[in-house]
Amino acid sequence: MPTSGAKLLQGTLDMLILNALSLGPLHGYGIGQRIMQMSEDALRVEEGSLYPALYRIEQHGWITAEWGVSENNLRAKFYKLTRAGRKQLQIEEENWERLAGAVFKVMQTN
Amino acid sequence: MFWLRLIYSRLYGLLRKNRIEQEMDDEMRFHLLMRTRENIERGMRPDEAEREARRRFGNVGRIKDLARDIKGGGFMETLLQDLRYGARMLMRNPGFTLIAVITLALGIGANTAIFSVVDAVLLKALPVNEPDTLALFEWQAGSSFRTNGASGASYVPGPPGTKGDSRFRSDIFEKLRAQAQATDSPLSDLFAFAAVSGVTAVTSNQAETVNGQAVSGGYYAGLRVRPVLGRAITDEDDKPGAAPVVVLSHQFWQERFDANPAVIGQPLKLNRQFFTIVGVTPPAFNGALQVGYRPAVTLPLACGPLLRGEDAATAKADEPDWSLYLMGRLKPGATYEQARDSLNGAFQAAALAVMPPPGKVNEPAQLDPKEYPRLLAQSGSLGMQDMRRRYSPTIYGLFIVVALVLLIACANLANLLLARATSRSAEISVRLAVGAGRWRLMRQLLTESALLAALGGAVGILFALWGDSALLALTDKDTGVLPEGVDLSLNWRVLAFTLSVSLLTGALFGLAPAWRATRPDLATALKQSRRTTGAVSRLGKGLIVAQVALSLLLLIGAGLFIRTLYNLQRVNLGFNQENLLLFRLQPKQGGYKGERLLQFYQRLFARLDNLPGVRAATFERIPLIAHDNSFADILLPGETEQTAAEHNTARQTARENYFATMEIPLLRGRGFTAQDDQRAPKVAIVNQTFARKFFPDDDSLGKRITVIYTKREVEIVGVVADTKYESQRMEIKPLLYTPWLQEGDMIGTMHFALRTTGEPTALADTVRQVVRELDSNLPVTEITTQLARSQATLGQERLSARLLSFFSGLALVLAGIGLAGVLAWSVSQRTNEIGIRMALGAQVADVLRLVVWQGMKLVLLGLAVGAAGGYVLQRMLASKSFAPASWEAQKANQLYGVTLTDPMTSIVIALLLVLVGLLACWIPARRATKVDPMVALRAE
């Protein structure tokens, strides 16, 4: 299903965040770090985009937040994937694959 | 102490940052800290590390803004943020803000001003303790219930075929009071009071006329008013033969006695009778009489006859006149219905007992039980209702007018905001795309509107204060819009009203634009081009059309009133009103009667006739064109009281040179002479209408008619031309004149008229001097000229015309500004299109036509809608089923010489609107022609 430009951007970041959390709860800083690690430094999420995305995803109910203690004994807010979140991750993944495949096909034709 | 701490902690909690805000702060801080550490690990110095971390974070504030957009944030934080944002937006466009605030201030201010009138006249409760347990009594009966001695119009509303009044007879009051004192009565007090105007009071050797009231013994106790000095009137003072006492109003005490506490026990001369001052009432208390009536002196009912110059010992205890107002105090838990029912039986019996025998042929001897008089009871917290009922149609009419003006102002602002919102649509769409809640964004836009409305309201209060003082200055006793002495100050009710109107206004003009602006139409909004098509939305067009239609109706209303005023001012009065000095004397109050009275007048005229500057001096019992009248029933020759149908005529009593002085032509027979005195045969002169009405086929000269009230038979000796009597507006009625020397007991108060050679007011002091020399205790009142009095009688028409013109002019200006603003915005958005047209060969005239026609289309449509609406409105007013009878009568009686659908007025106003519309279109159109095609095409 085709998506408009803005939605695509938004959706991709959401997907990455959900994916980062699929391995376990993380705080905001940790999410940014993990995405960077998993992409081998290719994707850097700016703080300006990260937190609004986090809050938006939280509004949708795909993640929940809880205050806890970080690895260096500081108080931090941890985010955890919900069951609905896992389902959403799957949907986004499928969409992304479909889209990527279509784009690839177009580029190949030329 | 505990409460103080509680309040303090609650306030602190409100102002402290909300939990959500706190969490966001903590989260950001944590992130910052982690980043800084990372940087230090990489080898940066600590301060550099922190700086770099902050830089990467970017604008924390903006992140929090976005976050708040999504999450909601703490209430106070968002509110403050919205307010700051809104204020910033407003300051960025000072021109827009100024126009918007002034527009709103005019609309809200006008509404507040009129509302303060509504509040002062219609809503303000009596300044007494527990006004809600006060009951006001009135009565209602079938129209065939006969009364004697109830004069003047009554404003007690009732179904057709009934009459009602708020006044009672003193003997009926006595019986009701006895009934109310029964132990099981729901009333704890029942008291009566009556206005006594025109009392001559002598203070420090100066005589003046004041307003007073007479009250029963239980008045002050019933109202629970405690005097600030001395004591109040009690039941003991209200007995026949008791020592005459008087209570002063606070204002009177301050002005005439310098607030001297030693006045208690001092004598005060009222109408030649000495009363002992026993008390002074508190400052805000002015009695329960009509709003605006401020009695300076209050005395017991039993002393009423003393004021009229009757002997205390022989004074009749009962008054045959229906003149007393009745109020009562409910016991705790009692209702008005209970009070009414407990007294109704006694009232009915008493009222039926004093009904006079049938005097005319069609009056039934026995009344049908359903016509029996019955008591009515309602809340007495507002005092007497008559004046309120009389003024309320006019005041509510004014209210509707200013509400319409406010609507027009709101429409203007809505259009302005719509236009602005469209140009901000890019920014709004981005925020919507990022995930901001729609409701959140709408709230932000609405806050801006609310700020505008609040500013408008604040400035509006200033306008209202100024407007109120202008209103007070414009009204006088005769305008009939405001009762005199009304206090129009700001109080919490008026301020609360202003606040709610402001908020409502803000919601009204802010809601639609906010709704449309935040529509999730992302595709169009994210387009690169910032220019829209310049097409005015349907909503915007509709608003303009509505404004034009409303302005049309208001302006036509103003036009009709102006024409009415013009017509009334040109009415032929039937006498010469130039150079006529008028004044009033009340010698009967000064103790003159019988022969002494006649001699007083003779002596006075001897002086007045010979005053330099006076061509002729005369007097009349009823002043002309002063809303005053006197009517009498008469019998034509050969009729008796039992057989006659009703013949009614207006009455006048005057001096023998009256017709010559007033320049009323004598048509037949002769005028009065000095020989028409007490000993001579009784004569009368009639006006033409009288002659035509009662003797259509005959010559009225020589006919003898009887005035029923005095049982006097007079012979008609002359016929004079018709004159206007009560006012310019009222139709001419039959008028019967009698000579003053033959009406010795009725001329206790007379209105003098002096025909002067020069400016009449120049003689005012001389006249006062002359009267003072004859009797220093007789005040000269109501000194004015006939021209001034005639003008004053038109006070209500003049005020209506002025107010309506002002407000409709305001509406027109607002509508014009609105139209110009919308067109200007449209032009600014269409510079592209205009540039293309001009490049393709369009001339200046074509561009002008383009823009002007865009605007005039709306104006013409507005005229059509307004005309249709006016027609429907007029139909609704005409059909009796919609408008209550009194309202309809009021509306119909307002106009004179023009009808509601007067074509000439409508056409002229329509043309005026077209002209203004053209002007409003012209300015943006001219700017359109200045567009340079090259510049327009390049700028994209």
Side-chain angles (χ1 to χ4, degrees), chain A residues 91-103:
Chain A
I91 294 172
E92 301 260 2
E93 226 171 320
E94 283 167 15
N95 276 344
W96 174 251
E97 278 170 16
R98 208 188 344 229
L99 183 64
V103 172

Side-chain angles (χ1 to χ4, degrees), chain B residues 89-99:
Chain B
M89 278 286 126
L90 289 181
M91 278 194 285
R92 210 181 288 172
N93 300 318
F96 164 79
T97 310
L98 193 69
I99 294 184

